[in-house]
Amino acid sequence: MKRTVLITGATSGIGLATARLLARHSFRLILCGRRLDRLQALQAELSVHTACRILSFDVREAEEVAAAVQSLLADWQAIDVLINNAGNAHGLDPIQSGKQYDWDAMIDINVKGLLYVSQTIIPSMTERKSGHIINIGSIAGKEVYPNGNVYCASKFAVDALTKGMRMDLNPFGIKVTGIHPGLVETEFSLVRFKGDEARASQVYKGYEPLKPEDIAEVILFALTRPAHVVLADLVVFPTAQASATQVKKDI
Ligand code: NDP
Ligand code: 8X3
């Protein structure tokens, strides 16, 4: 029996690469994001490999999240795996000149959004006494870096929530995995720098960053461990990276 996996942020980057990989490995997929056109195209692409459903919602809107998950037909309601991946950085400003709308976006999406999605799915996992939750944190949730302030705070919160989930869900046999990537080339920097492509591409120059497919492979590995094994907490860097602030660049 194929496991059912719900992936948030499946329209781009790590979520998209994960959807593509899992589609080829005996999982059926519920793909989530706001951009419906991308979800529809992905569903068409992956349906040759596995059954897919799409849900378009904004993780910031608790009622929208709940309504979307409730709209699934009964045979899609028993979600075995939740991948809390949706998230972004908004801005890279020192705290004294940070924008409130950027702070709100990061706290609302990365922290509250993760909670809203989790609360719609965890009850069916506790009822069935099984499940696996994978939260995508960041090295920014392990180390603070200059101008990272609120993004780092949001990812420290994801790390704390991951640990808290692991404790609270332990009596139910639910696995909880935290994956904390370093620099991965996705649309992340384009979003952080508000569409400034030149500035975004600069982040990945002079070294080989991770590809979203690298993180997808780690996720697949975590999902295919035996029942008695959980990968609890993983930091994944490109080889050129040694910490949040140290990257060996050739330029
Ligand atoms: P992308 O920008 O490529 O993808 C972000 C995804 O999140 C998109 O699918 C987007 O979908 C979704 N998303 C953003 N805001 C919302 C929202 N309000 N409601 C629903 N979905 C939303 O970035 P990445 O793939 O890099 O990011 C994925 C995760 O990985 C994030 O949590 C990020 O913090 C984390 N991460 C990224 C790193 C990197 O270097 N790239 C390193 C460490 C962690 P849509 O816009 O369609 O809604
Ligand atoms: C994304 C990686 O270093 O830009 O979480 O914060 S970083």
Side-chain angles (χ1 to χ4, degrees), residues 153-185:
S154 76
K155 289 297 184 176
F156 269 72
V158 171
D159 193 30
L161 290 170
T162 303
K163 289 169 178 153
M165 284 182 182
R166 190 175 305 115
M167 291 169 184
D168 297 349
L169 300 176
N170 170 271
F172 301 93
I174 295 169
K175 296 187 186 189
V176 180
T177 297
I179 297 178
H180 305 276
L183 291 150
V184 190
E185 187 165 11

mmCIF file of all heavy atoms in Angstrom, residues 153-185:
data_model
loop_
_atom_site.group_PDB
_atom_site.id
_atom_site.type_symbol
_atom_site.label_atom_id
_atom_site.label_comp_id
_atom_site.label_asym_id
_atom_site.label_seq_id
_atom_site.Cartn_x
_atom_site.Cartn_y
_atom_site.Cartn_z
ATOM 1 N N ALA A 153 15.065 33.828 13.576
ATOM 2 C CA ALA A 153 14.127 33.580 14.687
ATOM 3 C C ALA A 153 13.026 32.625 14.243
ATOM 4 O O ALA A 153 12.630 31.712 14.991
ATOM 5 C CB ALA A 153 13.534 34.900 15.171
ATOM 6 N N SER A 154 12.544 32.807 13.023
ATOM 7 C CA SER A 154 11.460 31.929 12.553
ATOM 8 C C SER A 154 11.965 30.489 12.411
ATOM 9 O O SER A 154 11.234 29.540 12.703
ATOM 10 C CB SER A 154 10.864 32.447 11.241
ATOM 11 O OG SER A 154 11.708 32.178 10.127
ATOM 12 N N LYS A 155 13.211 30.333 11.991
ATOM 13 C CA LYS A 155 13.731 28.977 11.821
ATOM 14 C C LYS A 155 14.194 28.365 13.150
ATOM 15 O O LYS A 155 14.156 27.142 13.311
ATOM 16 C CB LYS A 155 14.843 28.974 10.761
ATOM 17 C CG LYS A 155 14.312 29.201 9.340
ATOM 18 C CD LYS A 155 13.375 28.068 8.917
ATOM 19 C CE LYS A 155 12.884 28.184 7.492
ATOM 20 N NZ LYS A 155 12.044 27.040 7.067
ATOM 21 N N PHE A 156 14.624 29.201 14.109
ATOM 22 C CA PHE A 156 14.839 28.684 15.466
ATOM 23 C C PHE A 156 13.506 28.159 16.019
ATOM 24 O O PHE A 156 13.465 27.139 16.714
ATOM 25 C CB PHE A 156 15.415 29.769 16.394
ATOM 26 C CG PHE A 156 16.926 29.812 16.433
ATOM 27 C CD1 PHE A 156 17.671 30.278 15.360
ATOM 28 C CD2 PHE A 156 17.621 29.381 17.563
ATOM 29 C CE1 PHE A 156 19.065 30.321 15.390
ATOM 30 C CE2 PHE A 156 19.018 29.417 17.615
ATOM 31 C CZ PHE A 156 19.740 29.882 16.521
ATOM 32 N N ALA A 157 12.435 28.876 15.691
ATOM 33 C CA ALA A 157 11.112 28.422 16.143
ATOM 34 C C ALA A 157 10.756 27.085 15.499
ATOM 35 O O ALA A 157 10.215 26.191 16.170
ATOM 36 C CB ALA A 157 10.051 29.474 15.809
ATOM 37 N N VAL A 158 11.091 26.925 14.221
ATOM 38 C CA VAL A 158 10.812 25.639 13.562
ATOM 39 C C VAL A 158 11.594 24.518 14.251
ATOM 40 O O VAL A 158 11.068 23.421 14.485
ATOM 41 C CB VAL A 158 11.162 25.697 12.048
ATOM 42 C CG1 VAL A 158 11.090 24.313 11.403
ATOM 43 C CG2 VAL A 158 10.224 26.676 11.326
ATOM 44 N N ASP A 159 12.837 24.813 14.630
ATOM 45 C CA ASP A 159 13.655 23.812 15.326
ATOM 46 C C ASP A 159 13.007 23.445 16.673
ATOM 47 O O ASP A 159 12.899 22.263 17.030
ATOM 48 C CB ASP A 159 15.068 24.380 15.528
ATOM 49 C CG ASP A 159 16.075 23.322 15.947
ATOM 50 O OD1 ASP A 159 15.919 22.149 15.562
ATOM 51 O OD2 ASP A 159 17.024 23.670 16.687
ATOM 52 N N ALA A 160 12.549 24.476 17.392
ATOM 53 C CA ALA A 160 11.900 24.224 18.694
ATOM 54 C C ALA A 160 10.607 23.429 18.506
ATOM 55 O O ALA A 160 10.326 22.488 19.271
ATOM 56 C CB ALA A 160 11.608 25.548 19.397
ATOM 57 N N LEU A 161 9.844 23.788 17.494
ATOM 58 C CA LEU A 161 8.579 23.075 17.261
ATOM 59 C C LEU A 161 8.844 21.627 16.857
ATOM 60 O O LEU A 161 8.093 20.718 17.239
ATOM 61 C CB LEU A 161 7.758 23.782 16.175
ATOM 62 C CG LEU A 161 7.184 25.141 16.599
ATOM 63 C CD1 LEU A 161 6.588 25.882 15.403
ATOM 64 C CD2 LEU A 161 6.126 24.950 17.693
ATOM 65 N N THR A 162 9.909 21.413 16.114
ATOM 66 C CA THR A 162 10.260 20.045 15.704
ATOM 67 C C THR A 162 10.576 19.199 16.943
ATOM 68 O O THR A 162 10.093 18.064 17.088
ATOM 69 C CB THR A 162 11.470 20.077 14.742
ATOM 70 O OG1 THR A 162 11.137 20.904 13.625
ATOM 71 C CG2 THR A 162 11.841 18.685 14.262
ATOM 72 N N LYS A 163 11.370 19.782 17.845
ATOM 73 C CA LYS A 163 11.715 19.043 19.072
ATOM 74 C C LYS A 163 10.466 18.820 19.924
ATOM 75 O O LYS A 163 10.267 17.741 20.500
ATOM 76 C CB LYS A 163 12.773 19.815 19.861
ATOM 77 C CG LYS A 163 14.135 19.791 19.174
ATOM 78 C CD LYS A 163 15.094 20.766 19.826
ATOM 79 C CE LYS A 163 16.468 20.691 19.137
ATOM 80 N NZ LYS A 163 17.215 21.949 19.239
ATOM 81 N N GLY A 164 9.633 19.849 20.014
ATOM 82 C CA GLY A 164 8.395 19.727 20.801
ATOM 83 C C GLY A 164 7.454 18.683 20.227
ATOM 84 O O GLY A 164 6.863 17.883 20.968
ATOM 85 N N MET A 165 7.331 18.684 18.904
ATOM 86 C CA MET A 165 6.475 17.671 18.259
ATOM 87 C C MET A 165 6.994 16.264 18.557
ATOM 88 O O MET A 165 6.226 15.349 18.838
ATOM 89 C CB MET A 165 6.475 17.870 16.735
ATOM 90 C CG MET A 165 5.647 19.017 16.237
ATOM 91 S SD MET A 165 5.743 19.044 14.414
ATOM 92 C CE MET A 165 4.761 20.499 14.064
ATOM 93 N N ARG A 166 8.329 16.119 18.496
ATOM 94 C CA ARG A 166 8.903 14.781 18.709
ATOM 95 C C ARG A 166 8.562 14.277 20.099
ATOM 96 O O ARG A 166 8.236 13.098 20.291
ATOM 97 C CB ARG A 166 10.424 14.820 18.495
ATOM 98 C CG ARG A 166 11.066 13.442 18.457
ATOM 99 C CD ARG A 166 12.549 13.482 18.137
ATOM 100 N NE ARG A 166 12.809 14.179 16.903
ATOM 101 C CZ ARG A 166 13.492 15.326 16.798
ATOM 102 N NH1 ARG A 166 14.014 15.884 17.867
ATOM 103 N NH2 ARG A 166 13.657 15.915 15.637
ATOM 104 N N MET A 167 8.580 15.190 21.086
ATOM 105 C CA MET A 167 8.249 14.791 22.462
ATOM 106 C C MET A 167 6.755 14.503 22.612
ATOM 107 O O MET A 167 6.357 13.460 23.133
ATOM 108 C CB MET A 167 8.650 15.904 23.422
ATOM 109 C CG MET A 167 10.150 16.068 23.540
ATOM 110 S SD MET A 167 10.536 17.594 24.415
ATOM 111 C CE MET A 167 12.313 17.580 24.288
ATOM 112 N N ASP A 168 5.932 15.425 22.140
ATOM 113 C CA ASP A 168 4.489 15.289 22.368
ATOM 114 C C ASP A 168 3.900 14.118 21.580
ATOM 115 O O ASP A 168 2.915 13.503 22.008
ATOM 116 C CB ASP A 168 3.763 16.580 21.987
ATOM 117 C CG ASP A 168 4.196 17.753 22.864
ATOM 118 O OD1 ASP A 168 4.880 17.518 23.885
ATOM 119 O OD2 ASP A 168 3.861 18.908 22.527
ATOM 120 N N LEU A 169 4.489 13.823 20.431
ATOM 121 C CA LEU A 169 3.937 12.762 19.577
ATOM 122 C C LEU A 169 4.601 11.419 19.824
ATOM 123 O O LEU A 169 4.196 10.402 19.260
ATOM 124 C CB LEU A 169 4.053 13.177 18.097
ATOM 125 C CG LEU A 169 3.286 14.475 17.762
ATOM 126 C CD1 LEU A 169 3.512 14.896 16.319
ATOM 127 C CD2 LEU A 169 1.796 14.309 18.035
ATOM 128 N N ASN A 170 5.610 11.409 20.699
ATOM 129 C CA ASN A 170 6.312 10.159 21.029
ATOM 130 C C ASN A 170 5.362 9.053 21.514
ATOM 131 O O ASN A 170 5.484 7.897 21.091
ATOM 132 C CB ASN A 170 7.418 10.468 22.051
ATOM 133 C CG ASN A 170 8.040 9.225 22.628
ATOM 134 O OD1 ASN A 170 7.569 8.695 23.630
ATOM 135 N ND2 ASN A 170 9.089 8.746 21.991
ATOM 136 N N PRO A 171 4.388 9.364 22.377
ATOM 137 C CA PRO A 171 3.502 8.284 22.842
ATOM 138 C C PRO A 171 2.674 7.647 21.731
ATOM 139 O O PRO A 171 2.128 6.569 21.905
ATOM 140 C CB PRO A 171 2.571 8.996 23.846
ATOM 141 C CG PRO A 171 3.273 10.248 24.225
ATOM 142 C CD PRO A 171 4.097 10.646 23.037
ATOM 143 N N PHE A 172 2.593 8.328 20.587
ATOM 144 C CA PHE A 172 1.768 7.825 19.487
ATOM 145 C C PHE A 172 2.592 7.127 18.403
ATOM 146 O O PHE A 172 2.060 6.741 17.365
ATOM 147 C CB PHE A 172 0.980 8.989 18.862
ATOM 148 C CG PHE A 172 0.090 9.694 19.847
ATOM 149 C CD1 PHE A 172 0.538 10.818 20.529
ATOM 150 C CD2 PHE A 172 -1.184 9.210 20.112
ATOM 151 C CE1 PHE A 172 -0.280 11.456 21.447
ATOM 152 C CE2 PHE A 172 -2.001 9.842 21.027
ATOM 153 C CZ PHE A 172 -1.553 10.968 21.707
ATOM 154 N N GLY A 173 3.883 7.009 18.626
ATOM 155 C CA GLY A 173 4.729 6.319 17.644
ATOM 156 C C GLY A 173 4.920 7.105 16.354
ATOM 157 O O GLY A 173 5.240 6.533 15.304
ATOM 158 N N ILE A 174 4.725 8.413 16.424
ATOM 159 C CA ILE A 174 4.867 9.247 15.209
ATOM 160 C C ILE A 174 6.311 9.726 15.104
ATOM 161 O O ILE A 174 6.882 10.245 16.064
ATOM 162 C CB ILE A 174 3.878 10.443 15.283
ATOM 163 C CG1 ILE A 174 2.437 9.920 15.238
ATOM 164 C CG2 ILE A 174 4.146 11.432 14.148
ATOM 165 C CD1 ILE A 174 1.395 10.963 15.577
ATOM 166 N N LYS A 175 6.897 9.538 13.918
ATOM 167 C CA LYS A 175 8.273 9.995 13.694
ATOM 168 C C LYS A 175 8.282 11.483 13.393
ATOM 169 O O LYS A 175 7.406 11.983 12.675
ATOM 170 C CB LYS A 175 8.896 9.274 12.494
ATOM 171 C CG LYS A 175 9.078 7.773 12.659
ATOM 172 C CD LYS A 175 9.877 7.250 11.455
ATOM 173 C CE LYS A 175 9.977 5.733 11.472
ATOM 174 N NZ LYS A 175 10.921 5.232 10.454
ATOM 175 N N VAL A 176 9.276 12.190 13.914
ATOM 176 C CA VAL A 176 9.447 13.617 13.593
ATOM 177 C C VAL A 176 10.911 13.852 13.220
ATOM 178 O O VAL A 176 11.817 13.515 13.986
ATOM 179 C CB VAL A 176 9.035 14.524 14.769
ATOM 180 C CG1 VAL A 176 9.234 15.998 14.395
ATOM 181 C CG2 VAL A 176 7.571 14.281 15.159
ATOM 182 N N THR A 177 11.098 14.425 12.036
ATOM 183 C CA THR A 177 12.441 14.654 11.498
ATOM 184 C C THR A 177 12.624 16.144 11.212
ATOM 185 O O THR A 177 11.758 16.765 10.585
ATOM 186 C CB THR A 177 12.613 13.878 10.169
ATOM 187 O OG1 THR A 177 12.497 12.479 10.423
ATOM 188 C CG2 THR A 177 13.971 14.165 9.531
ATOM 189 N N GLY A 178 13.740 16.698 11.654
ATOM 190 C CA GLY A 178 14.101 18.067 11.279
ATOM 191 C C GLY A 178 15.242 18.027 10.279
ATOM 192 O O GLY A 178 16.268 17.395 10.532
ATOM 193 N N ILE A 179 15.050 18.674 9.127
ATOM 194 C CA ILE A 179 16.127 18.762 8.124
ATOM 195 C C ILE A 179 16.482 20.235 7.968
ATOM 196 O O ILE A 179 15.610 21.074 7.734
ATOM 197 C CB ILE A 179 15.693 18.134 6.788
ATOM 198 C CG1 ILE A 179 15.406 16.641 6.990
ATOM 199 C CG2 ILE A 179 16.785 18.331 5.721
ATOM 200 C CD1 ILE A 179 14.919 15.907 5.760
ATOM 201 N N HIS A 180 17.782 20.523 8.125
ATOM 202 C CA HIS A 180 18.241 21.922 8.190
ATOM 203 C C HIS A 180 19.282 22.164 7.108
ATOM 204 O O HIS A 180 20.483 21.962 7.331
ATOM 205 C CB HIS A 180 18.819 22.204 9.582
ATOM 206 C CG HIS A 180 17.862 21.885 10.677
ATOM 207 N ND1 HIS A 180 16.896 22.765 11.094
ATOM 208 C CD2 HIS A 180 17.676 20.748 11.390
ATOM 209 C CE1 HIS A 180 16.162 22.201 12.041
ATOM 210 N NE2 HIS A 180 16.621 20.979 12.236
ATOM 211 N N PRO A 181 18.834 22.624 5.938
ATOM 212 C CA PRO A 181 19.804 22.822 4.851
ATOM 213 C C PRO A 181 20.608 24.109 5.031
ATOM 214 O O PRO A 181 20.149 25.080 5.644
ATOM 215 C CB PRO A 181 18.925 22.933 3.597
ATOM 216 C CG PRO A 181 17.559 22.457 3.992
ATOM 217 C CD PRO A 181 17.451 22.762 5.462
ATOM 218 N N GLY A 182 21.797 24.085 4.435
ATOM 219 C CA GLY A 182 22.545 25.321 4.209
ATOM 220 C C GLY A 182 22.075 25.917 2.890
ATOM 221 O O GLY A 182 20.875 25.909 2.596
ATOM 222 N N LEU A 183 23.022 26.393 2.087
ATOM 223 C CA LEU A 183 22.647 27.132 0.873
ATOM 224 C C LEU A 183 22.174 26.201 -0.247
ATOM 225 O O LEU A 183 22.945 25.354 -0.727
ATOM 226 C CB LEU A 183 23.849 27.950 0.405
ATOM 227 C CG LEU A 183 24.192 29.119 1.353
ATOM 228 C CD1 LEU A 183 25.684 29.426 1.336
ATOM 229 C CD2 LEU A 183 23.375 30.358 0.983
ATOM 230 N N VAL A 184 20.934 26.374 -0.649
ATOM 231 C CA VAL A 184 20.334 25.578 -1.721
ATOM 232 C C VAL A 184 19.861 26.546 -2.809
ATOM 233 O O VAL A 184 19.149 27.516 -2.500
ATOM 234 C CB VAL A 184 19.093 24.793 -1.228
ATOM 235 C CG1 VAL A 184 18.642 23.796 -2.284
ATOM 236 C CG2 VAL A 184 19.348 24.107 0.107
ATOM 237 N N GLU A 185 20.238 26.287 -4.053
ATOM 238 C CA GLU A 185 19.826 27.221 -5.114
ATOM 239 C C GLU A 185 18.391 26.925 -5.557
ATOM 240 O O GLU A 185 18.122 25.910 -6.201
ATOM 241 C CB GLU A 185 20.780 27.151 -6.312
ATOM 242 C CG GLU A 185 20.448 28.235 -7.326
ATOM 243 C CD GLU A 185 21.554 28.464 -8.348
ATOM 244 O OE1 GLU A 185 22.500 27.648 -8.410
ATOM 245 O OE2 GLU A 185 21.460 29.474 -9.076
#
